[in-house]
Amino acid sequence: MTDSELEKFKKVLKDENLKLTPQRVEVFREVCNSEEHREAEEIYLALRKKDLNVSRSTVYRTMDILYQYDLVQRMDIGDGKWRYEHWLNCHQHDHLICIRCGTIVEFINAQIEEIQKDVADKFNYQLVRHVHQLFGLCKQCQNTPVSVK
């Protein structure tokens, strides 16, 4: 987590009339220092594993605030659970998601970006952000037989 990221977080908390607590900073640090797409519960468990005394409700509330202020992106991969990724100093990217194991691969494709821009222009929209998720089976899951229960 950089100083400028921390300053943005401080401003968000101030705008929300919330105190900058060590626990909120640790939640933000955990998100900023990870390249993973994790649920709030996974973030909470990672902090607890580091022996940091952060409540579950603090993690969930902080993640909601971070999302509201575009400091994190969240995505639903079809199981009804939000996955979060840090969004500061990030460039637009899309995701491939394995429907069996849940693996998420980030990718950038200039042609997709251009098509989106063309569509937005055609309908006189100014794009702010987009979510592009492709669902399928990763190579490992393609080669793994489905077990019959």
Side-chain angles (χ1 to χ4, degrees), residues 65-113:
I65 291 166
L66 293 174
Y67 175 70
Q68 289 172 22
Y69 285 85
D70 286 328
L71 301 179
V72 297
Q73 252 328 59
R74 73 179 183 190
M75 58 191 286
D76 179 358
I77 64 169
D79 60 3
K81 300 175 185 174
W82 290 117
R83 303 305 193 286
Y84 295 92
E85 64 180 327
H86 72 87
W87 199 240
L88 284 166
N89 304 317
C90 285
H91 51 272
Q92 184 63 55
H93 60 270
D94 300 306
H95 299 94
L96 287 165
I97 302 163
C98 181
I99 59 173
R100 187 174 295 160
C101 70
T103 297
I104 301 172
V105 175
E106 294 180 355
F107 71 93
I108 299 170
N109 183 291
Q111 290 174 303
I112 291 173
E113 297 300 315

Side-chain angles (χ1 to χ4, degrees), residues 23-34:
Q23 292 83 3
R24 288 185 179 122
V25 170
E26 288 303 328
V27 172
F28 188 57
R29 184 185 320 276
E30 181 68 24
V31 173
C32 287
N33 293 339
S34 175

Side-chain angles (χ1 to χ4, degrees), residues 116-146:
Q116 291 170 156
K117 182 186 173 313
D118 291 346
V119 170
D121 289 349
K122 179 180 178 181
F123 292 98
N124 200 22
Y125 270 70
Q126 179 183 356
L127 286 181
V128 176
R129 66 175 175 262
H130 75 269
V131 176
H132 191 89
Q133 298 175 170
L134 301 172
F135 294 86
L137 294 170
C138 68
K139 186 175 182 176
Q140 183 176 342
C141 288
Q142 289 173 42
N143 297 325
T144 305
V146 177

Side-chain angles (χ1 to χ4, degrees), residues 45-54:
L45 293 173
L47 292 167
R48 297 298 296 185
K49 192 173 187 177
K50 294 177 182 178
D51 290 326
L52 296 169
N53 189 22
V54 178

